[in-house]
Amino acid sequence: MKKITIQEMPKHVGETVKMGAWLANKRSSGKIAFLQLRDGTGFVQGVVVKAEVSEEMFATAKGLHQETSLYVVGEVTEDTRSAFGYELQVKEIQVISESTDYPITPKEHGTEFLMDHRHLWLRSKKQHAKMKVRNELIRATYEFFNDNGFVKMDPPILTASAPEGTSELFHTKYFDEDAFLSQSGQLYAEASAMALGKVFSFGPTFRAEKSKTRRHLIEFWMIEPEMAFVEHDESLEVQEQFVSHIIQSALKNCKLELEILGRDISKLEKVKAPFPRISYDDAIEFLHKEGFDDIKWGDDFGSPHETAIANHYDLPVFITCYPTGIKPFYMQPHPDRDDVVLCADLIAPEGYGEIIGGSERIWDYDLLKQRIEEHGLDQEAYNWYLDLRKYGSVPHSGFGLGLERTVSWVTGADHVRETIPFPRLLNRIYP
Ligand code: 4AD
Ligand code: MG
């Protein structure tokens, strides 16, 4: 008999098949038992009719506990009432391994309890759907960059440099030397772009940030493209094409997951390039008109500010040319002004906040050296980075997209902790 997965059921209607599964939930009466089965590829209802199986089999079905693992044999049928569209008419059940007193029951649990049981919580239908969407965004990311001539490069995790400022570094020892966990692969991506033209990195990054918000993780995954001979405006075009591609891919390939999550997709459907752009100067003026008296030119935006700006548009919006003082040392100054830099943050709609930070990079040796000094960085650690400006320097730009914030936006998650399998949060490293 053919062993299939739930995902493969549509191709086997009318056939009797075998499947490995866990019991997610169960409902039964004297004559019929409805088994909610899951196998990792999906969720399906298995129907056990007393009159059609042995008495012993029916008793087994009725006595199954949540998360018991099974082999089931049954006939695949269509079922127009369920979102999945198929059902299994169960003929045989073989228990592989019992599960007793599974801690996560169908009733409501508090967040802390669920986070303590994250290793099990991942099995739940909505958590499963979020991981599938995350996977689709990852798949579509590779597709986009591979189709557009980018080469994947892998920056080191253990580093001696601090691209995004020294206050949020995870310190560690590297034998006798001091080292940090990477905050961003950008500086290494820049070196790689000078070797390979257009590159992207995709890996874990670490911020020892004492932020306890719904948008901050201590360990998160970032996609960081870097492009030689590409200037600020051209980089924004790549960004909007990239974001459109991954959103449209998720809409196309994760229909069922988004339905399970109850996501209103009408706003996501509109996400197609080009995206609007507003300068930092105009954004400040806009906020003043909206009654935000607390913010003045030179301040960074908080999430209420970002949300107010985002709510003004249907699409993600680029806020461009921030004041030099609130941005990292490597950003290229504006050609006509020395108080702002050629950068942009991309703000997602619906209050999901900044998903991309990017800029053109300083490519003049003396200016970069000066900035490293002004930021109090140890030049020794950056000599290799300065070398890139010594041997055939070129204009280049890049950006970083935070995967978890993007998954939050697409899935409608109200906290990034549900968008990564095992979140590292302030005060949480278990499980
Ligand atoms: O704006 P950030 O700090 O930019 C950089 O690290 C640049 N070096 C990227 C580059 O140009 N190559 O971070 C980029 C993105 C943010 O827009 C956000 O989506 C995400 O990374 N991010 C976080 N996500 C979750 N938790 C955190 N603590 C995050 N910090 C940044
Ligand atoms: Mg940023």
Side-chain angles (χ1 to χ4, degrees):
M1 193 179 314
K2 206 168 160 74
K3 200 200 266 177
I4 67 162
T5 61
I6 292 173
Q7 203 170 32
E8 291 164 342
M9 285 177 72
K11 289 183 297 198
H12 296 275
V13 176
E15 290 173 37
T16 297
V17 297
K18 181 174 178 175
M19 295 198 305
W22 290 270
L23 184 80
N25 199 358
K26 185 190 67 187
R27 221 158 29 87
S28 60
S29 70
K31 290 185 181 140
I32 195 158
F34 295 105
L35 312 179
Q36 303 308 321
L37 302 171
R38 57 169 204 91
D39 74 344
T41 74
F43 290 76
V44 72
Q45 175 161 277
V47 185
V48 193
V49 180
K50 189 177 178 191
E52 291 174 13
V53 297
S54 70
E55 212 155 286
E56 196 191 334
M57 187 72 58
F58 193 69
T60 303
K62 280 195 77 164
L64 290 174
H65 293 130
Q66 197 185 345
E67 288 306 309
T68 294
S69 52
L70 317 160
Y71 278 124
V72 288
V73 171
E75 187 193 335
V76 179
T77 55
E78 287 190 56
D79 170 35
T80 48
R81 290 154 305 173
S82 73
F84 176 50
Y86 302 87
E87 234 178 29
L88 190 74
Q89 308 306 320
V90 179
K91 306 281 183 272
E92 262 178 65
I93 298 168
Q94 182 193 333
V95 171
I96 302 172
S97 185
E98 289 280 1
S99 158
T100 40
D101 301 328
Y102 186 67
I104 305 177
T105 58
K107 70 162 204 218
E108 287 279 309
H109 295 283
T111 302
E112 281 307 299
F113 177 86
L114 291 169
M115 290 302 295
D116 284 341
H117 294 85
R118 181 65 178 165
H119 50 298
L120 303 175
W121 189 26
L122 276 174
R123 303 178 183 194
S124 305
K125 204 168 190 176
K126 288 192 174 171
Q127 299 307 313
H128 177 268
K130 283 174 191 158
M131 291 303 118
K132 293 293 286 272
V133 172
R134 178 185 171 101
N135 180 63
E136 174 59 21
L137 295 175
I138 293 170
R139 191 203 62 76
T141 291
Y142 279 90
E143 181 176 73
F144 180 85
F145 290 112
N146 286 325
D147 288 354
N148 285 282
F150 286 71
V151 176
K152 168 95 192 306
M153 63 74 60
D154 303 308
I157 302 289
L158 290 166
T159 67
S161 54
E164 302 302 312
T166 47
S167 59
E168 302 170 355
L169 286 172
F170 263 107
H171 182 250
T172 181
K173 287 308 273 188
Y174 192 72
F175 305 105
D176 295 333
E177 290 177 61
D178 284 316
F180 311 105
L181 298 185
S182 176
Q183 290 176 310
S184 156
Q186 179 195 322
L187 308 190
Y188 297 96
E190 286 183 55
S192 306
M194 301 308 141
L196 295 154
K198 292 198 285 184
V199 299
F200 73 108
S201 74
F202 191 172
T205 45
F206 305 85
R207 306 273 166 107
E209 216 173 336
K210 295 259 154 68
S211 303
K212 205 174 176 179
T213 79
R214 60 197 185 88
R215 292 178 187 165
H216 286 90
L217 288 162
I218 304 301
E219 178 177 326
F220 67 98
W221 285 64
M222 192 163 29
I223 294 144
E224 295 188 273
E226 197 65 39
M227 302 160 283
F229 307 106
V230 167
E231 295 172 27
H232 175 59
D233 291 336
E234 297 167 312
S235 173
L236 297 190
E237 287 171 23
V238 175
Q239 294 174 45
E240 60 198 5
Q241 295 293 342
F242 167 50
V243 171
S244 305
H245 178 75
I246 60 175
I247 300 303
Q248 294 304 322
S249 296
L251 288 171
K252 182 165 160 244
N253 299 322
C254 295
K255 281 202 178 71
L256 184 60
E257 287 78 10
L258 294 170
E259 192 180 322
I260 287 166
L261 293 166
R263 182 70 168 105
D264 169 8
I265 57 168
S266 60
K267 294 206 172 87
L268 293 174
E269 281 168 342
K270 294 188 192 142
V271 179
K272 289 188 181 145
F275 299 160
R277 289 139 170 78
I278 179 176
S279 69
Y280 173 91
D281 291 355
D282 290 346
I284 290 283
E285 201 174 304
F286 168 82
L287 289 171
H288 287 163
K289 278 200 204 116
E290 293 285 300
F292 287 91
D293 304 324
D294 58 325
I295 192 150
K296 55 180 194 314
W297 200 96
D299 293 344
D300 208 353
F301 298 131
S303 54
H305 307 116
E306 285 177 357
T307 302
I309 297 164
N311 284 346
H312 191 64
Y313 303 90
D314 271 350
L315 292 168
V317 53
F318 287 113
I319 305 178
T320 66
C321 301
Y322 283 71
T324 314
I326 53 171
K327 286 292 176 189
F329 74 96
Y330 53 71
M331 291 190 180
Q332 175 74 12
H334 190 285
D336 310 323
R337 289 170 62 174
D338 57 10
D339 58 343
V340 298
V341 283
L342 290 179
C343 72
D345 282 359
L346 183 67
I347 314 298
E350 303 175 70
Y352 289 96
E354 178 202 324
I355 53 167
I356 290 184
S359 75
E360 189 167 323
R361 320 306 192 188
I362 292 176
W363 55 289
D364 178 74
Y365 181 90
D366 294 325
L367 178 60
L368 185 62
K369 188 160 176 279
Q370 183 193 323
R371 285 281 201 274
I372 288 171
E373 272 163 28
E374 284 166 3
H375 282 252
L377 300 168
D378 170 18
Q379 201 198 300
E380 284 280 292
Y382 294 87
N383 276 334
W384 67 270
Y385 185 62
L386 278 162
D387 271 355
L388 308 177
R389 280 72 182 169
K390 225 175 176 174
Y391 306 108
S393 194
V394 298
H396 61 287
S397 304
F399 60 94
L401 174 130
L403 178 63
E404 290 76 16
R405 290 199 192 165
T406 309
V407 178
S408 286
W409 168 36
V410 176
T411 60
D414 45 78
H415 200 297
V416 285
R417 67 185 162 220
E418 292 186 34
T419 63
I420 183 165
F422 294 96
R424 270 46 189 132
L425 299 161
L426 201 59
N427 305 328
R428 178 174 291 282
I429 196 168
Y430 178 92

